[in-house]
Amino acid sequence: MSIESILTSSPSATESWAREFAATLVGGELIALTGELGAGKTVIAKGIGKGLGVREDVISPSFNYLLEYRGRLQLFHADLYRIESADTFRALGLDEYLDRGGVLLIEWAERVRAMLPPETIWIEITPGNDPQSRKISVRRPS
Ligand SMILES: Nc1ncnc2c1ncn2[C@@H]1O[C@H](COP(=O)(O)OP(=O)(O)OP(=O)(O)O)[C@@H](O)[C@H]1O
Ligand SMILES: [Mg+2]
């Protein structure tokens, strides 16, 4: 397991970090994004989208749970903020997205923590000392 911590001092710094992080992805990754409301999970998702060469703006999929984008790798972006039950989560069939060789990004993944596989990459974003700063922790199994 490896743990990396990054401090950013603006939304654009978080987005740039995410863009670089995306360059390390090869497809088939499940990335769990955690952190409170407004922490910056979607900012990271937008940066990962840019890093994967997605041309559209990655937006929050809260109302439909999952949006799909085409880039260097396909990006599947889910947001489980409104998920009511484990059954609803199972019904989304996220395994199928991984089988398609894309990158699956899940906001509010802590809601289904116990259901995610051991190879999940966990990224947590938490507030820093001032309103524009954040701490990003990346935990990769290996
Ligand atoms: N260093 C920073 N990194 C990321 N976002 C920051 C930073 N500083 C301030 N912000 C602001 O924090 C907010 C993060 O919003 P974002 O929608 O990404 O949060 P979220 O974690 O996805 O929230 P939600 O749980 O509602 O989906 C934005 O308004 C952004 O401008
Ligand atoms: Mg969000």
Side-chain angles (χ1 to χ4, degrees), residues 45-103:
K46 285 176 189 293
I48 290 177
K50 287 189 182 155
L52 291 178
V54 172
R55 297 226 181 116
E56 301 143 81
D57 190 22
V58 169
I59 55 158
S60 190
S62 327
F63 290 97
N64 29 3
Y65 294 125
L66 190 132
L67 292 172
E68 201 172 317
Y69 300 90
R70 193 182 296 269
R72 168 175 77 81
L73 299 169
Q74 250 179 326
L75 175 64
F76 306 107
H77 179 206
D79 188 325
L80 304 182
Y81 183 62
R82 291 187 173 77
I83 201 104
E84 316 86 41
S85 69
D87 284 343
T88 312
F89 178 67
R90 272 185 216 102
L92 289 173
L94 294 181
D95 288 353
E96 286 166 38
Y97 293 104
L98 290 176
D99 292 345
R100 286 164 64 187
V103 173

Side-chain angles (χ1 to χ4, degrees), residues 96-116:
E96 286 166 38
Y97 293 104
L98 290 176
D99 292 345
R100 286 164 64 187
V103 173
L104 174 55
L105 203 61
I106 306 181
E107 289 191 42
W108 286 100
E110 56 269 64
R111 305 250 151 125
V112 295
R113 192 181 288 277
M115 297 171 72
L116 296 183

